[in-house]
Amino acid sequence: MKRRHLRIYRKRRKEKTLILILICILLIGIAAAERIGCIDMEQFISDKQEEIPYQKVSKTAEENTEKYYYRQLPEEQKQVYREILEGVRNHTEEIYVHDTDADETNQIFQKLMKDQPDIFWCDGTATATTHKGTESYTVLKPKYFYTAKESQTMQTEITQVAAKWLAGLDADADEYQKILYVYEKIVDEVDYDESAPDNQNIYSIFVNRQSVCAGYSKATQYLLEQLGVFCTYVTGKTTEGGNHAWNLVKCNGDYYYVDTTWGDPVFQQEEGEEISRDTNQETDTSGNKTNISYDYMCCDDTQLFQTHILDKDTQMPECSKMDCNYYVVNGMYYTQYDAEQALGAMNQTIWTKKSATTFKFSDNAVYQQAHDDIFQKELAKAAQNLADYYGLSQVKYQYIDDPRLHKIVIFWQYS
């Protein structure tokens, strides 16, 4: 009985030993499985981070420091701006940027397009998708109108024409003269046409010579930046409700608005304004062209906001001076009315046989006072002087009376 008992005891001991061995094996297996799974997960995350093909930037941050909208961005958004800019210049289909908000990415893209007038192969149309994860990012897909090769050919055309246009500028021109030259050059060379192809970019200006406000404003910016004059692109509406674009410039240290589109007589005609005179580049008493409207050639806030409305949330510096305004510079701007002075200005035009006398008044009160006296008294005196001086039996003249812009222009005929 004793031996039998021992045998039973040993059998149970073997079974217990076997069980312990199996338990150890299972524990080792579980531990190994947990360790391998953890390694795989870490590797997956690491691979995912490395796979995000963020747009590489070759340009330095300093290259955009003069760009108006770029300067307004916080540092982290400036990085996104540079990534988008590099991608768009390279015609990248999918631009991966360090941003976690698709709407913010799109807003940065719109600001970039206002800063970069030379980018004509897209207009800011794009889709932006944010991908959330351990590291979130956004993919911007711009719409390109031309391939990289096509764009390069078109850019060559633009560069050649722009260089030709600027070749006519005096090498000693100051900032005001540069702004005036570009203003007149674009108006002289381009016709306003809403049906013009590429009318949202500068190709329509330099090559097609037909465009709308977006083309005019971007071309103004493009040329002035080449001349070293600060200029940026501004968008908003007219007081009639239509979308519109113009420019902000800096002249002699102060900010002014410039609207080249509204200087074009073709635009004025399309807007329904009567232009009942020959647009053959006649000159006024200052030697400048009478077929061009200069009301928005360096004007202040007061002048601009009678007819223009900024886009919401657009921050622009105050434009409070008129020192570089075309009419001020050329002695045609009146802050008060003097009948003798008005008659003298008309007589001076007649004696020098210039085509037009222009009166630009600072506000409506001065304009109304001048209007009544000029048309009731002084204009008749000037017409008689013209008849006497040139021996005419009949005097003919035309005029523009613009109460909105507080302006009167009289066009004289000498035969």
Side-chain angles (χ1 to χ4, degrees):
M1 291 296 294
K2 188 174 182 180
R3 291 181 180 174
R4 183 181 181 184
H5 175 73
L6 289 173
R7 284 199 300 269
I8 294 172
Y9 174 80
R10 289 173 181 167
K11 182 179 180 181
R12 290 180 178 174
R13 188 176 180 180
K14 288 180 181 179
E15 291 175 348
K16 187 174 182 180
T17 301
L18 180 60
I19 292 170
L20 288 173
I21 291 170
L22 290 173
I23 291 173
C24 289
I25 292 172
L26 288 173
L27 288 174
I28 292 170
I30 292 170
E34 289 178 345
R35 186 165 59 253
I36 293 171
C38 184
I39 291 172
D40 286 345
M41 182 59 70
E42 289 176 350
Q43 187 66 42
F44 174 78
I45 294 172
S46 177
D47 288 345
K48 188 65 177 179
Q49 290 174 339
E50 292 175 359
E51 286 174 1
I52 301 174
Y54 287 117
Q55 177 64 53
K56 294 181 179 179
V57 178
S58 61
K59 304 290 184 180
T60 63
E62 288 72 22
E63 293 186 49
N64 294 302
T65 53
E66 295 302 315
K67 298 295 187 178
Y68 182 76
Y69 296 97
Y70 176 81
R71 293 199 317 244
Q72 294 179 334
L73 297 174
E75 287 304 317
E76 63 274 12
Q77 291 186 17
K78 287 180 179 178
Q79 170 66 22
V80 177
Y81 180 110
R82 294 193 297 270
E83 290 171 342
I84 297 173
L85 179 58
E86 187 89 14
V88 171
R89 290 203 183 285
N90 293 329
H91 284 71
T92 304
E93 295 296 328
E94 295 185 341
I95 306 171
Y96 287 71
V97 300
H98 289 83
D99 201 340
T100 60
D101 187 326
D103 289 336
E104 182 178 88
T105 298
N106 185 60
Q107 290 171 13
I108 295 171
F109 185 31
Q110 301 312 310
K111 287 179 169 56
L112 180 153
M113 291 300 298
K114 291 181 180 181
D115 275 342
Q116 310 290 338
D118 60 310
I119 297 177
F120 59 85
W121 51 90
C122 69
D123 63 357
T125 302
T127 60
T129 305
T130 296
H131 298 264
K132 299 292 185 179
T134 304
E135 181 176 2
S136 299
Y137 59 94
T138 298
V139 180
L140 184 75
K141 297 180 181 180
K143 179 181 178 181
Y144 299 118
F145 300 122
Y146 304 102
T147 65
K149 185 176 181 180
E150 290 171 334
S151 297
Q152 186 175 10
T153 300
M154 295 167 73
Q155 181 62 65
T156 299
E157 294 179 88
I158 291 170
T159 301
Q160 291 174 345
V161 174
K164 183 178 179 181
W165 287 9
L166 293 181
L169 177 65
D170 190 329
D172 297 324
D174 59 21
E175 286 186 327
Y176 171 81
Q177 292 166 335
K178 290 176 180 178
I179 296 169
L180 178 62
Y181 180 87
V182 168
Y183 187 93
E184 291 184 334
K185 190 64 177 177
I186 292 175
V187 171
D188 285 347
E189 298 288 347
V190 183
D191 287 332
Y192 184 89
D193 186 349
E194 292 185 351
S195 63
D198 293 300
N199 61 26
Q200 297 300 300
N201 63 60
I202 62 174
Y203 190 79
S204 63
I205 294 288
F206 294 109
V207 180
N208 297 334
R209 309 292 176 93
Q210 293 179 322
S211 193
V212 296
C213 60
Y216 278 74
S217 302
K218 289 180 180 179
T220 300
Q221 181 184 9
Y222 180 81
L223 291 175
L224 287 179
E225 286 185 342
Q226 290 196 35
L227 293 173
V229 176
F230 169 82
C231 180
T232 196
Y233 184 79
V234 185
T235 56
K237 295 182 180 296
T238 66
T239 50
E240 285 76 27
N243 293 327
H244 193 48
W246 59 96
N247 297 104
L248 174 77
V249 302
K250 184 179 280 188
C251 186
N252 298 337
D254 296 308
Y255 288 107
Y256 297 90
Y257 285 112
V258 169
D259 190 338
T260 312
T261 310
W262 282 23
D264 195 322
V266 177
F267 169 80
Q268 297 169 48
Q269 288 173 323
E270 291 207 8
E271 291 296 297
E273 186 174 323
E274 290 294 329
I275 310 293
S276 55
R277 63 192 187 279
D278 184 14
T279 58
N280 62 353
Q281 306 302 341
E282 295 178 89
T283 58
D284 58 22
T285 52
S286 65
N288 291 296
K289 304 174 178 74
T290 57
N291 70 312
I292 295 178
S293 173
Y294 293 94
D295 295 281
Y296 299 95
M297 171 47 216
C298 290
C299 68
D300 64 1
D301 289 337
T302 301
Q303 171 75 67
L304 184 87
F305 294 135
Q306 293 180 67
T307 51
H308 296 55
I309 302 170
L310 286 172
D311 278 337
K312 292 181 179 179
D313 302 322
T314 298
Q315 300 296 322
M316 288 286 124
E318 182 182 16
C319 298
S320 59
K321 293 188 176 182
M322 288 285 284
D323 296 8
C324 292
N325 176 261
Y326 171 85
Y327 293 112
V328 173
V329 172
N330 290 286
M332 303 178 196
Y333 188 78
Y334 302 87
T335 58
Q336 58 184 9
Y337 179 68
D338 182 284
E340 185 176 348
Q341 185 182 31
L343 179 58
M346 289 185 282
N347 285 338
Q348 181 64 31
T349 306
I350 291 166
W351 294 334
T352 55
K353 209 172 184 179
K354 297 295 184 181
S355 63
T357 307
T358 300
F359 298 98
K360 175 77 174 181
F361 301 101
S362 57
D363 56 45
N364 189 60
V366 180
Y367 162 77
Q368 289 295 342
Q369 181 187 3
H371 177 276
D372 294 342
D373 188 69
I374 287 174
F375 285 108
Q376 292 175 16
K377 298 179 182 179
E378 307 309 323
L379 183 54
K381 295 177 185 178
Q384 185 61 54
N385 290 337
L386 188 152
D388 295 342
Y389 194 81
Y390 292 99
L392 302 177
S393 60
Q394 186 180 37
V395 172
K396 297 179 181 179
Y397 59 82
Q398 296 176 305
Y399 65 84
I400 292 177
D401 179 17
D402 193 336
R404 182 183 62 171
L405 297 177
H406 309 144
K407 185 176 69 172
I408 297 170
V409 185
I410 302 163
F411 301 91
W412 306 101
Q413 295 185 25
Y414 296 92
S415 60

